[in-house]
Amino acid sequence: MTFDYSFLEFFVIAEIIIAILLVIVTIVMKIIYYFRKKRKIRLTKKADDIIQDALIHDKPITDNELPRATHRMDILQPLMEKYQNERGWSRTLETLSTSILLPLARKAIESRRWIKRCWAVKSFEVHREQQDEPHLEKLLSDKVPLIQFHAVWPSLQLGTETLVNTVITRTAEERRLAQSIFLEVFEQHQDVKCDYIVKRLNTEENPFIRATCYKILMIEKQTSAFDHAMKDTTSDNVELQLSAIRYVSMEDKPQVIDKLVGLLTAELPETRLTATRALGNLGASQTLPEVKKLLHDEKWWVRLDAVKTLVKFGPEGRQALHQIPETDEVYQLCQQVLGVKEGYHAR
Amino acid sequence: MLDNVIIIVSVCVILYFIFVNIAYIILYLTSISDIFYRFNEIQLGNVENFVTGDISPPVTIIVPAFNEEDTIINSVRSFLKQKLTKCYVIVVNDGSEDKTMDNLIETFALVPAPADFPSHIETAEIKGYYVSQNEKHLIVIDKEHAGKGDSLNVGLNACRTPIFLSTDSDTFLEPESLDYLLFSLLSVPHTIAEGGAVYVANGCTIEDGEIKEVKMPTWYLPSIQTVEYLRAFLFGRCGMKPIGGPLILPGSMTMFEKKAVLDIGGFSRYNITEDLEIILRLHKYMRDNDYPYNIGFTPSAVAWTNVPESFTRIWQQRGRWHAGLFDALLASWRFFFNPKYKAIGLFNYPFYVFVELFSTLVEFAGYSVLLIAMYLHKLDWYFALLFFLVSWGFSTIITMATVLISLISFNKYKRMRDIIKILILVIFENLGYRQLLVTCRFLAMIRFVVYRGWLFITRQRHKQEALDEEEATAMHHHHSNQSMKD
């Protein structure tokens, strides 16, 4: 039995050639990247100089003033963000956006490259016009999460009924990660058109969308949907019920306290927990006897929040906790909560 | 006769060699496009613009720590220095016997607090829950020793953010690492896990949790591991991405969507390579339930870790990794050429079985045949030399190509002497170090098979004993009933 292995010689030669080629390609690529980077820095600097000059002389920038090569969203958008708070910027910004940035962004929305769409939505964050409503609506439904998230801010800024409703629907549809980001944007946004949200509550039946509406109204500190929420505190949908409980507890009204006390004996531990927390946030120390009963709740996390609520009730609540005998199973928990809270207060 | 056996084994080894190298070439080609795509994003895209501000989601870093008194403080400091504003750190002390816990209490002014989190996953007993008085984003949990997987589960129970990062207590993150990871995670729909690249920290100057100067280690072992890590992360993980996603993401740098991990019951407490095991289970769960998902890897997010510097420690570590790989692959055998799991079942999983797991056996067989042929004076020296040159040359080319890609893109080693050192090590990695690892892995496999076999036999024996006992009890009852009737 013989075995012809002369082909291995060919492999050895091929490997040497490949190794040499690899080194050559690396050097060429390194040079290309070096020049690409340099070019971008040069163009950014050029655009920066022109914008600074326009700002100093308080003059608008026209299409022709900026070199064609700088008409790129990744160059202009960061510069616009940089100067956003400068005096006299609005006039420069308006011309720069309407003549260069927004046309680029509108075109990029249709791009198959997601990074381009991402730059488009970032450009809308800087400036947008009424005609951009359908563009933003499209971006809010983009498959790339990052683009959806960035589209919330300009949509709320434009604040049309369609966009506000789309944002509410998207928020309700999303999983926890996206929902928390959407709500975070609301938190940073002061002038949300709450009328649209209340109007939606009048007709909306989807419990998740209703819950989202309460969450947003809570962030905006708007209590205009109080009556709707009082009804929803007894909803069968847990998410809606808990959101409504949290929402009504923004108002320190007797009927709210009565409602919350009633919910302390609810079947669902989540409901008992949320009602306890709400009473703590309201500082409703008159409900101390009812909350104290939860110190022996079957769920440890409800017991823990009952202790925290009592601490929030002030000296009266603390006194009640200090009186718990050492033999009580909840004693250790009370001591730990008191230790941390009082330690923090001392600091 | 013996001549024929030697030739047959040689032909088998060559065929295996061709098969493995075709797989490597596929991986290499798929990795290049991804690396340059990511590099373009980073270099030309101003990533930090996209993940800062309102849309930056909160992230929790879970740090299991077992006997890490020397590194834990620097590591935690590096985690707390992340650019990401909404970043929380949970350190889980896994019953350390050294001063890990004391150092944490002293440095971060920890005070006991009530354990304020639900137990989604069952874990070992928790001994204490601490909050820091000077770092409001830091929580430390002290628990009974039960392994890394269990510690990660404790952290997972305590985690309140929708995303978390699993890492190690001897790992350092660059300040923008989480930004890059988040950017990648949020740029592809339905991403449930995203891994980052890990580099060797030995030799670097680290101050106050920050990598001040990047240098190649001076010792041979950590230096050679630098090359190994470069190849594993840039080539292995990136290459798998377009074909179903990687099966392994680094335990020291992987971001997960919390809900997905909770849905599969958290990390395994029993597998020693929980990072591989969790990714395999995530793939399985998502495919079985037909959920859309993506598991990704980004070489732009970087972590630095300390690697073993002694032969004993590397021997133990690699043996453990290989046994863990065997265990995890065995547990998910259903993937094997199963079209239901698409690319994972048809390419990725068989790749790990044939290339990562069994390459040890084939290589070991190759070396054994070589030694036997030498001993019996049956060795064709010219063939041996040619074969050695081809195989050594090929693996050198693969490593060299990866190192060169790294130099073009995310180059971390700026000093010319380090680059030259890496290129020299690429050539000499296959002389000595590779053979050491093959022997270590081979012995680990033997140990694992013997252990599993012994476990199986013991279980069967216990089962038989239990059955016998049951039978005896039944007989006894039967007789007593019979006598009562009589």
Side-chain angles (χ1 to χ4, degrees), chain A residues 38-265:
Chain A
K38 262 236 162 311
R39 184 168 183 261
K40 194 184 167 189
I41 293 168
R42 190 168 44 82
L43 288 173
T44 310
K45 187 158 182 336
K46 209 174 210 174
D48 196 6
D49 289 344
I50 294 167
I51 293 172
Q52 270 194 36
D53 186 57
L55 271 171
I56 291 164
H57 298 103
D58 195 19
K59 60 173 187 183
I61 300 172
T62 54
D63 200 351
N64 305 328
E65 267 173 278
L66 275 175
R68 193 86 200 142
T70 61
H71 289 203
R72 279 165 53 175
M73 285 182 292
D74 61 328
I75 290 180
L76 294 178
Q77 196 277 339
L79 285 174
M80 291 175 89
E81 244 179 31
K82 182 177 152 190
Y83 293 115
Q84 218 164 14
N85 299 321
E86 292 286 317
R87 200 171 57 83
W89 172 239
S90 55
R91 208 154 76 97
T92 316
L93 173 114
E94 202 157 330
T95 49
L96 198 59
S97 305
T98 46
S99 60
I100 304 171
L101 198 66
L102 286 183
L104 284 173
R106 284 169 197 144
K107 206 172 149 193
I109 287 167
E110 305 299 332
S111 172
R112 286 182 62 184
R113 286 186 61 201
W114 74 270
I115 196 88
K116 276 199 161 189
R117 300 200 302 279
C118 215
W119 276 114
V121 76
K122 284 289 287 176
S123 304
F124 286 127
E125 276 183 10
V126 179
H127 191 67
R128 70 250 117 211
E129 288 169 349
Q130 207 63 32
Q131 56 165 310
D132 293 318
E133 188 191 81
H135 302 137
L136 284 165
E137 213 181 337
K138 193 172 178 193
L139 289 168
L140 276 171
S141 308
D142 199 285
K143 62 177 188 212
V144 176
L146 210 53
I147 296 173
Q148 291 172 19
F149 301 158
H150 277 289
V152 180
W153 172 267
S155 302
L156 293 180
Q157 285 283 15
L158 208 55
T160 63
E161 192 171 353
T162 319
L163 283 177
V164 172
N165 275 320
T166 313
V167 172
I168 292 169
T169 313
R170 297 289 300 129
T171 311
E173 280 169 2
E174 284 299 336
R175 300 217 285 179
R176 200 189 147 195
L177 166 64
Q179 203 175 78
S180 63
I181 295 171
F182 275 56
L183 292 174
E184 185 71 25
V185 179
F186 275 102
E187 209 150 306
Q188 307 298 326
H189 203 284
Q190 300 300 316
D191 314 308
V192 178
K193 305 264 181 356
C194 293
D195 300 347
Y196 296 144
I197 303 171
V198 180
K199 194 172 155 191
R200 178 113 190 224
L201 274 170
N202 289 333
T203 52
E204 185 61 60
E205 283 183 7
N206 181 326
F208 296 102
I209 293 181
R210 287 184 78 81
T212 307
C213 289
Y214 293 130
K215 285 176 194 169
I216 297 168
L217 288 171
M218 241 179 103
I219 290 168
E220 300 300 323
K221 295 188 173 55
Q222 290 284 331
T223 53
S224 38
F226 182 79
D227 295 336
H228 285 293
M230 277 302 271
K231 278 181 208 152
D232 285 335
T233 51
T234 48
S235 166
D236 291 338
N237 184 293
V238 187
E239 190 169 338
L240 177 58
Q241 188 195 28
L242 300 187
S243 301
I245 295 172
R246 289 185 197 112
Y247 180 73
V248 294
S249 69
M250 282 166 68
E251 290 266 19
D252 192 359
K253 289 180 180 169
Q255 67 262 46
V256 174
I257 308 282
D258 291 346
K259 187 65 130 184
L260 293 176
V261 169
L263 291 168
L264 287 179
T265 51

Side-chain angles (χ1 to χ4, degrees), chain B residues 234-248:
Chain B
L234 279 181
F235 155 75
R237 313 291 194 271
C238 285
M240 290 279 185
K241 223 172 115 178
I243 34 178
L247 289 195
I248 304 183

